Amino acid sequence: MLNIAVLVSGRGSNLQAIIDAVEAGWLKVRIACVISDNQEAYALKRALKHNIPNIFITPNIFFSKSEYEKKIIEYLREKEVGLIILAGYMQIVGSTLLSAYPNKIINIHPSLLPSFPGLHGQKQALDYGAKVSGATVHFVDKGCDTGPIILQVGVKILDNDTEESLSKRILVEEHKILPKAIFLFAEERLTISGRKVHIID
Ligand code: GAR
């Protein structure tokens, strides 16, 4: 069975969606560990509650991003991780981690990429006056939210939407497409050619 690691920084509702899919039995992966760069992340409590090994590793005590990522890789190797999920992980992945896990890191982002990458994707869409936004699951490359797209879903923006109301509706979709993308990866149904991800039927 594929061992996955979930990297988090905060609330962990996407982590919870993965846990729920695994516990429901349709997502056949093992959540081998949860790694947080934030000691206070509620995601760590979710991991504890479900007996998932978890660790807090702060980049602040390392001389460089590379040293920080080497520490993460050491832990990932120990847990025999084959796929990394960024679920609300607020660090840009560096070349050390990327080359240790090429095409084996997946991120969830709260907009229809390539629109509104980076922080506060939902607010960016609202401020821009977009009529539709959504959620994207993609492989991670060296850019910020630029890697090959696996799944996307659109969410209509309503006239009276606030950042909070839009984020809430987008989150509902995130919780569906992230476990689904992990399922497809675990079933070896994703192939990448250039920027395109092909989903094998
Ligand atoms: C989610 O909306 C996720 O898409 C976003 O952070 C939130 C984390 O929520 N990620 C990014 O903005 C990454 N650029 P969660 O901790 O409840 O899963």
Side-chain angles (χ1 to χ4, degrees):
M1 195 183 281
L2 176 70
N3 282 342
I4 69 166
V6 186
L7 272 56
V8 296
S9 299
R11 174 180 60 183
S13 71
N14 277 291
L15 166 65
Q16 190 65 52
I18 300 167
I19 294 172
D20 292 347
V22 170
E23 291 186 350
W26 66 266
L27 181 56
K28 295 191 188 337
V29 298
R30 182 179 302 108
I31 308 174
C33 59
V34 169
I35 302 176
S36 176
D37 65 341
N38 167 16
Q39 196 161 19
E40 304 305 319
Y42 187 67
L44 286 173
K45 294 202 171 65
R46 296 184 195 266
L48 266 178
K49 190 171 168 206
H50 292 268
N51 294 318
I52 300 166
N54 58 88
I55 189 168
F56 156 62
I57 309 177
T58 175
N60 300 341
I61 62 164
F62 296 91
F63 287 116
S64 64
K65 186 170 209 96
S66 177
E67 292 303 313
Y68 163 61
E69 292 191 338
K70 278 183 194 157
K71 182 75 196 168
I72 292 180
I73 292 165
E74 197 183 296
Y75 189 65
L76 296 172
R77 298 270 192 247
E78 198 182 295
K79 300 288 174 196
E80 299 181 348
V81 166
L83 174 68
I84 300 171
I85 308 301
L86 310 184
Y89 176 65
M90 295 305 175
Q91 304 278 340
I92 306 255
V93 174
S95 55
T96 305
L97 188 52
L98 272 173
S99 42
Y101 283 86
N103 293 332
K104 289 188 169 71
I105 307 177
I106 286 177
N107 181 45
I108 177 82
H109 183 78
S111 77
L112 287 181
L113 292 171
S115 292
F116 315 124
L119 293 176
H120 310 295
Q122 307 95 328
K123 183 171 186 305
Q124 290 185 56
L126 272 178
D127 290 349
Y128 194 87
K131 302 291 186 198
V132 178
S133 193
T136 302
V137 186
H138 64 94
F139 283 108
V140 174
D141 67 5
K142 61 182 180 351
C144 174
D145 300 325
T146 52
I149 291 169
I150 304 168
L151 295 171
Q152 285 189 304
V153 59
V155 171
K156 269 192 189 159
I157 297 180
L158 309 176
D159 278 349
N160 58 355
D161 257 332
T162 59
E163 184 182 359
E164 196 188 357
S165 63
L166 178 60
S167 300
K168 216 168 155 182
R169 291 205 308 289
I170 291 176
L171 201 60
V172 172
E173 302 305 327
E174 292 184 39
H175 294 165
K176 294 179 196 161
I177 62 173
L178 183 56
K180 192 171 170 191
I182 300 168
F183 171 84
L184 292 170
F185 183 98
E187 299 275 303
E188 297 180 356
R189 285 174 55 194
L190 301 178
T191 59
I192 309 177
S193 102
R195 283 212 48 84
K196 289 195 182 158
V197 177
H198 179 64
I199 300 174
I200 302 162
D201 273 340

